[in-house]
Amino acid sequence: MTDKIDRREFIKTAVGAAAGALVVAHLPAGAAEPQAEAPQGAEKIFRGGPIVTMDDARREVQAVAIVGDKILAAGDEAEVMKHKTDATEIVDLGGKTLMPSFVDAHGHFMNAPQIVKWANVSGPPVGPVTKIADIVTVLQDHVKKQGIKKGDWIIGYGYDRSNLAEGRELLASELDPAFPDNPVMLIHSSNHGAVLNSVAFKAVGYDENTPTPPGGIINRMEGTNKPAGFLMETAFLPIFGSMPQPPEREMLDTLDAAQQLYASVGVTTCQEGATHAKDLAFLRKAAAEGLLYLDIVSLPLILNVPALLKEYAPSFQGGPMELPETTAQAFGHYKDRLKLQGLKFVMDGSPQGKTAFWSQPLLTKGPGGEENWRGQPLFPPEVVNKSMKEAYAKGIQIFSHCNGDASIDMMIDGARAAGIKADEDRRTVIIHSQFQRPDQLEAYVDLGFSPSYFTVHAFYWGEEHVTNTGLERASFISPMKSAAAKGLVCSNHSDFSVTPMDPMRMMWSAVVRTTRTGRVLGPDERIDRWESLKALTTNAAWQIREEDQKGKIAPGMLADLVILDANPLTVDTDRIPEIKAVETFKEGKSVYKRQPA
Amino acid sequence: MGQAMDLPFTVIGGYLGAGKTTLLNHLLTNTTGMRLAVLVNDFGSVNIDIDLIQSHDGETLSLANGCMCCSLVNGFAQAIGEIEKRAGAFDHLVIEASGVALPAKIAQYGQMYRLPLDGVLVMVDAEQVRTQAENKYVGDTVLRQLARADLLILNKTDLVPPETLAGLRAWLAERSPGTPLLETVRSEVPLDVLLGAGADRAKVGGRAEHAHQDRGHNHHDHASAHQTWTLEQAEPLARPDLERFAPGLGGDIYRAKGFVHLQDDPDRRYVYQQVGARWSLEPSEPWGEDQRRTRLVVIGRAGAVTADGLAALIGVSETK
């Protein structure tokens, strides 16, 4: 898609096609091609480059025909060409690679409308900043591009001193000359701090008389008590919490740019993986207005269930953590491209923030300087067990955020207490599963748990994990090879916007597992390229019960496709992260086309 | 943001089943005239007589007695925002920490909004706490909750035999050395012990119109097991004397509160505030025309100290 009008046109067609799909039974994956006698006419036939199917039965084909929203045929060119009519468009790949578009296995779509309005002041590979002067340039470009007016907030994300050649925190006084009339806030890559300019300090009421709150940091100018620029933790959180929120219309208007964050890297199914009640209201509105052209899978937060029930089941009289009998009806199907798939549990925090919950203490102190620190669960086991039992009883799929092995143990205990077995096909997804222990793999098999790993962690935070947990524990993070060997279906995710939406870097990280210093973290857990791509396509589709529609090129599957400028199966390993999407299709319609440089 | 609110807050923590919700229900339905804002994790567990509810707006419940209950489901910032909107409408803020939260950490959250911290109270289930402390998931959290409390409230003491209770006291003293322990049943803790409410409250809150001369006396409430002492003195106190006073109170004194006439800054009031071992001395309004006089109200276990003993600690001449 190149402009907005096209996209709106497409939305109408797509909605019509989706409605039709409910009536016309689609062909299951891998089914025989239509009868040769009366071949159905194709709308488009792709040929002329590697076509990677992600189908174990036949990994590569010569050509693919599509019609409407589906794949009509895939195979040898001569066979597929039988579907050509006068109206068929032949797409010559010119040596580029066609494959199924990517399924976001876990991330936070609701961060996208925000991020597209913010400036990226990260260091490579996430952003362009290597010195203080770069920050000013990025912000100036951002102001121009976004048309930010005098007095409006300028917000940047990904700020981190460690990316700056100067090796020190940016000062308010270094932002003031270029931004004398706008408050500026550059959010730290941890999301726990920020640098403010002088206008921003004034706006939030911080000055030399502001005391540093317990558990917080306010850097001061040398020899004075004047805030220097950088704030952290309790000195920052209340400021962030009370930032003005953009009006809903403005947020809805960002949805095109937000979806382009995904479409431009070949992702056509996005996950909103921790949905609050207000987020769901927003997404439902976006869907009803026809603003979604990619699929959004929402996982409402279990904590928000009472609020959601109040809105969607006002007559429900049950107690806390109980679900109405009809809950399952709200899940598992798309309406205007929005689907609720399961309930999101959150069991612990993050390993880099040392708030994950491990069974063994870290080698370093806790986030508050605690000795013998192993993190904490976010909920007591009594509450977890009760909630899991209720979700299972009502037939709702569970997606649970667990980073440390102790939080995984709690999920295992909860499923055992509920009497769950693998053959029930519950597909309980343990999101992150990062610090899983080898012995927990067997429990995943027994209980039908499926891990969604986070292999880019090895790159972004691998060295910190070695420092905090030791080489042995750190080397087993996201153990995709061991899990696959047990027959577990594994996906891989970016946890957007914790790390960028960048499937090729995710694939690369699963293949090489190198840290920022080049160390290979857990060489035994490296997987081959085919498996690493499955984790981003068909396996991710399986976890949201869409494996018969998405993630493979085969007749009857949705025509969710991406053309890449190089073949990820054959390009030099080091070049995998550089592979770019050329064009992305959602159900046969182009939703992104790369502009020539 | 940026303007400090003059609203003291208390954090109430403790593991599941310790009686936090029962306590919060007592607080919300209090009839002392103290206007409380209470932040809770889960609305569902708040059980309030429907006649008392004035309005129910989203995550906020307003009561006819001036109290308000606000759910933390949308996060701390939003709940504090609700309180800020009604600045001046409340005398005290109570924040419920979830069963696995570290209440001391929640106290930092309150302080980051520049609210004055009254104290961290941790409730303990007399029947279950030792089992909880051994739980492989939450044991270390339970122990951390105990260790960082300013005041421990040992609840459900009627459910354990006396010999168990004695052992439990010793066990708790080891896990939380020097922290006062208040024993209770069915979460029945008097408001003055819990939040420092009582005769001195209005004065400490700084509203001069209520600053009448209270007849301080050695009050022994037989129904509960606590006692109130009032220390008064016109002669200014030396700072080092106060610094000795605070740690000298010991594990049987729950809280102390009042104005101090300070030797090195005799023209203005100082507010003295103590919960367990946590204490503070903050400058306040000038005395002006008022009589300059130290007046401290001390609450502790009945019979734990004598009035003269307390007075000797601080060198106060007129003990009542």
Side-chain angles (χ1 to χ4, degrees):
Chain A
M1 300 302 284
T2 48
D3 65 53
K4 217 158 190 161
I5 296 159
D6 274 3
R7 213 166 271 138
R8 293 205 194 276
E9 275 306 304
F10 148 67
I11 287 156
K12 280 186 211 152
T13 353
V15 170
L22 295 176
V23 187
V24 185
H26 55 255
L27 294 165
E33 288 173 34
Q35 301 286 307
E37 318 293 314
Q40 198 184 343
E43 229 166 82
K44 277 193 181 75
I45 291 176
F46 297 88
R47 58 160 299 284
I51 297 177
V52 177
T53 63
M54 300 321 303
D55 188 345
D56 286 327
R58 188 175 180 185
R59 292 188 175 196
E60 260 190 62
V61 293
Q62 292 175 336
V64 174
I66 65 171
V67 63
D69 58 347
K70 293 216 169 57
I71 291 167
L72 182 63
D76 294 338
E77 191 164 331
E79 281 299 310
V80 173
M81 278 300 178
K82 288 179 184 163
H83 297 278
K84 179 179 177 296
T85 69
D86 291 348
T88 302
E89 177 194 352
I90 304 294
V91 180
D92 186 354
L93 293 168
K96 297 187 176 65
T97 300
L98 181 76
M99 67 173 288
S101 56
F102 302 108
V103 175
D104 172 18
H106 176 68
H108 303 273
F109 179 78
M110 282 304 292
N111 290 1
Q114 209 168 33
I115 283 237
V116 296
K117 296 191 71 97
W118 291 353
N120 182 354
V121 294
S122 318
V126 182
V129 169
T130 59
K131 55 186 184 302
I132 285 172
D134 296 343
I135 294 180
V136 175
T137 315
V138 166
L139 293 178
Q140 282 170 330
D141 285 353
H142 178 74
V143 167
K144 252 182 250 160
K145 245 185 239 160
Q146 297 273 326
I148 293 174
K149 292 191 275 299
K150 246 186 190 183
D152 288 351
W153 278 90
I154 301 169
I155 302 178
Y157 67 94
Y159 168 80
D160 202 321
R161 178 179 74 177
S162 65
N163 297 319
L164 303 178
E166 289 85 350
R168 59 164 174 84
E169 300 295 353
L170 173 69
L171 300 171
S173 58
E174 289 166 311
L175 292 169
D176 291 342
F179 308 100
D181 303 313
N182 292 79
V184 178
M185 175 188 285
L186 306 181
I187 301 166
H188 190 258
S189 58
S190 66
N191 289 333
H192 284 241
V195 173
L196 271 60
N197 71 344
S198 295
V199 182
F201 274 123
K202 201 162 173 208
V204 302
Y206 272 35
D207 58 26
E208 58 273 20
N209 298 317
T210 306
T212 304
I217 294 168
I218 301 177
N219 283 5
R220 313 277 177 169
M221 293 304 288
E222 227 177 294
T224 79
N225 210 31
K226 206 173 166 255
F230 185 66
L231 312 166
M232 198 83 186
E233 301 296 347
T234 54
F236 164 69
L237 297 176
I239 292 179
F240 191 65
S242 56
M243 282 293 283
Q245 291 302 309
E248 186 183 68
R249 190 71 254 163
E250 207 175 290
M251 290 278 283
L252 288 167
D253 288 343
T254 65
L255 280 172
D256 177 39
Q259 289 172 94
Q260 285 300 302
L261 269 179
Y262 292 80
S264 63
V265 291
V267 179
T268 54
T269 300
C270 322
Q271 187 176 98
E272 173 22 64
T275 313
H276 290 267
K278 68 173 172 25
D279 300 329
L280 187 55
F282 173 82
L283 288 170
R284 282 166 64 107
K285 181 155 194 178
E289 288 191 13
L291 297 175
L292 303 179
Y293 50 86
L294 302 181
D295 284 340
I296 313 285
V297 175
S298 160
L299 310 177
L301 276 167
I302 180 94
L303 268 185
N304 263 248
V305 165
L308 290 167
L309 287 177
K310 212 167 9 181
E311 193 174 344
Y312 301 112
S315 57
F316 178 59
Q317 293 296 317
M321 305 317 296
E322 287 176 24
L323 299 170
E325 291 301 327
T326 53
T327 308
Q329 294 170 15
F331 288 80
H333 49 81
Y334 285 98
K335 184 159 188 270
D336 302 331
R337 301 224 165 274
L338 175 65
K339 171 173 93 156
L340 302 184
Q341 182 57 30
L343 282 176
K344 174 72 180 293
F345 287 53
V346 184
M347 303 294 289
D348 63 358
S350 78
Q352 70 275 30
K354 301 186 180 184
T355 49
F357 181 36
W358 290 274
S359 62
Q360 300 303 316
L362 296 181
L363 306 177
T364 53
K365 288 182 180 177
E370 299 89 344
E371 298 287 347
N372 231 8
W373 179 254
R374 61 180 187 117
Q376 288 182 272
L378 289 178
F379 296 95
E382 294 91 327
V383 172
V384 173
N385 292 356
K386 189 179 168 201
S387 311
M388 285 179 76
K389 196 174 170 202
E390 181 70 1
Y392 282 133
K394 299 287 154 59
I396 312 297
Q397 195 181 351
I398 293 172
F399 293 77
S400 184
H401 163 127
C402 299
N403 268 311
D405 63 314
S407 66
I408 293 172
D409 277 338
M410 289 175 76
M411 290 302 294
I412 291 171
D413 285 1
R416 283 192 179 138
I420 297 303
K421 294 275 183 299
D423 58 13
E424 294 171 30
D425 193 27
R426 300 279 188 167
R427 303 193 194 181
T428 305
V429 178
I430 309 298
I431 294 169
H432 308 316
S433 292
Q434 289 207 81
F435 282 85
Q436 196 175 22
R437 292 189 312 270
D439 66 280
Q440 291 174 326
L441 289 170
E442 204 55 55
Y444 275 41
V445 173
D446 293 344
L447 298 166
F449 283 10
S450 179
S452 184
Y453 290 125
F454 194 175
T455 61
V456 285
H457 241 266
F459 174 75
Y460 287 108
W461 295 284
E463 291 300 326
E464 282 165 80
H465 298 332
V466 173
T467 305
N468 293 332
T469 68
L471 187 59
E472 190 185 338
R473 280 159 78 184
S475 294
F476 203 67
I477 63 163
S478 289
M480 209 183 270
K481 178 88 174 229
S482 297
K486 294 263 181 204
L488 293 171
V489 178
C490 312
S491 71
N492 197 3
H493 64 255
S494 68
D495 204 11
F496 173 84
S497 59
V498 174
T499 74
M501 186 41 69
D502 189 354
M504 285 296 108
R505 181 166 291 274
M506 289 151 67
M507 174 202 173
W508 167 83
S509 67
V511 171
V512 301
R513 291 174 70 97
T514 48
T515 68
R516 281 182 188 269
T517 65
R519 182 210 303 260
V520 177
L521 193 58
D524 297 343
E525 295 303 328
R526 289 177 294 190
I527 56 166
D528 68 33
R529 296 180 185 210
W530 180 256
E531 286 300 322
S532 73
L533 280 177
K534 278 174 76 175
L536 300 169
T537 52
T538 181
N539 290 3
W542 184 88
Q543 289 181 336
I544 52 169
R545 295 189 181 272
E546 296 188 47
E547 73 278 13
D548 59 347
Q549 306 237 9
K550 292 177 181 172
K552 277 184 199 168
I553 292 179
M557 303 288 281
L558 288 176
D560 289 359
L561 304 165
V562 59
I563 300 173
L564 301 172
D565 66 359
N567 186 346
L569 292 178
T570 56
V571 74
D572 286 349
T573 312
D574 295 347
R575 281 208 48 220
I576 294 175
E578 295 162 24
I579 297 174
K580 297 270 181 286
V582 177
E583 189 167 11
T584 306
F585 299 87
K586 174 67 186 133
E587 295 173 27
K589 308 293 177 192
S590 178
V591 289
Y592 167 78
K593 196 160 189 176
R594 195 176 175 202
Q595 301 301 315
Chain B
M1 183 57 226
Q3 291 303 311
M5 266 193 298
D6 186 23
L7 179 65
F9 77 101
T10 300
V11 178
I12 296 184
Y15 194 67
L16 292 190
K20 294 194 299 289
T21 304
T22 311
L23 183 79
L24 293 172
N25 283 327
H26 287 332
L27 282 177
L28 282 167
T29 51
N30 84 80
T31 51
T32 63
M34 194 177 192
R35 301 162 308 163
L36 302 176
V38 180
L39 307 186
V40 299
N41 286 289
D42 182 5
F43 245 10
S45 56
V46 175
N47 179 19
I48 292 169
D49 191 340
I50 195 99
D51 296 337
L52 194 58
I53 298 174
Q54 210 162 47
S55 66
H56 186 172
D57 174 21
E59 300 303 332
T60 305
L61 211 60
S62 300
L63 307 186
N65 61 6
C67 293
M68 182 186 94
C69 181
C70 188
S71 147
L72 284 165
V73 71
N74 293 323
F76 201 79
Q78 194 160 333
I80 291 286
E82 287 296 321
I83 310 274
E84 278 177 335
K85 271 192 230 159
R86 309 167 200 211
F90 305 110
D91 302 311
H92 203 105
L93 171 65
V94 177
I95 303 171
E96 179 200 15
S98 89
V100 286
L102 298 179
K105 181 88 194 162
I106 305 297
Q108 286 192 346
Y109 284 169
Q111 285 171 294
M112 80 187 180
Y113 288 90
R114 295 197 237 164
L115 303 175
L117 173 62
D118 176 67
V120 174
L121 278 45
V122 173
M123 300 198 68
V124 182
D125 183 334
E127 255 193 325
Q128 299 295 331
V129 68
R130 296 185 71 162
T131 314
Q132 290 161 352
E134 281 168 12
N135 182 284
K136 69 170 174 166
Y137 296 129
V138 297
D140 46 358
T141 298
V142 169
L143 290 174
R144 280 197 169 91
Q145 290 175 344
L146 300 176
R148 299 279 302 276
D150 294 322
L151 176 64
L152 292 173
I153 300 171
L154 183 59
N155 194 24
K156 308 188 180 178
T157 52
D158 55 331
L159 301 182
V160 294
E163 58 274 20
T164 309
L165 201 54
L168 192 54
R169 285 187 198 114
W171 185 85
L172 285 169
E174 232 172 87
R175 264 94 205 147
S176 195
T179 308
L181 181 68
L182 174 71
E183 295 178 19
T184 188
V185 296
R186 293 179 300 276
S187 301
E188 285 165 1
V189 188
L191 211 60
D192 52 350
V193 177
L194 209 58
L195 307 179
D200 64 328
R201 149 175 82 82
K203 283 172 77 173
V204 173
R207 286 194 303 279
E209 67 272 21
H210 295 301
H212 56 93
Q213 286 298 312
D214 182 53
R215 289 253 72 86
H217 59 283
N218 190 341
H219 170 76
H220 187 170
D221 181 353
H222 289 278
S224 69
H226 76 283
Q227 186 172 358
T228 303
W229 299 268
T230 307
L231 307 176
E232 290 196 55
Q233 170 169 287
E235 281 297 299
L237 287 177
R239 220 178 262 266
D241 287 339
L242 267 176
E243 283 162 8
R244 266 196 303 277
F245 174 71
L249 285 178
D252 287 324
I253 300 300
Y254 312 135
R255 59 165 62 242
K257 201 168 186 177
F259 288 127
V260 173
H261 181 202
L262 201 63
Q263 215 168 49
D264 58 31
D265 193 2
D267 291 339
R268 55 175 169 171
R269 291 178 174 87
Y270 274 71
V271 176
Y272 182 86
Q273 158 95 354
Q274 179 167 8
V275 178
R278 176 193 302 277
W279 67 278
S280 63
L281 184 66
E282 298 288 341
S284 180
E285 302 295 300
W287 290 104
E289 298 299 303
D290 294 345
Q291 193 193 9
R292 301 177 181 200
R293 186 173 188 84
T294 293
R295 185 172 181 279
L296 296 176
V297 176
V298 178
I299 306 173
R301 187 171 62 76
V305 288
T306 64
D308 291 345
L310 273 180
L313 263 180
I314 202 171
V316 169
S317 54
E318 312 154 42
T319 311
K320 297 182 178 182

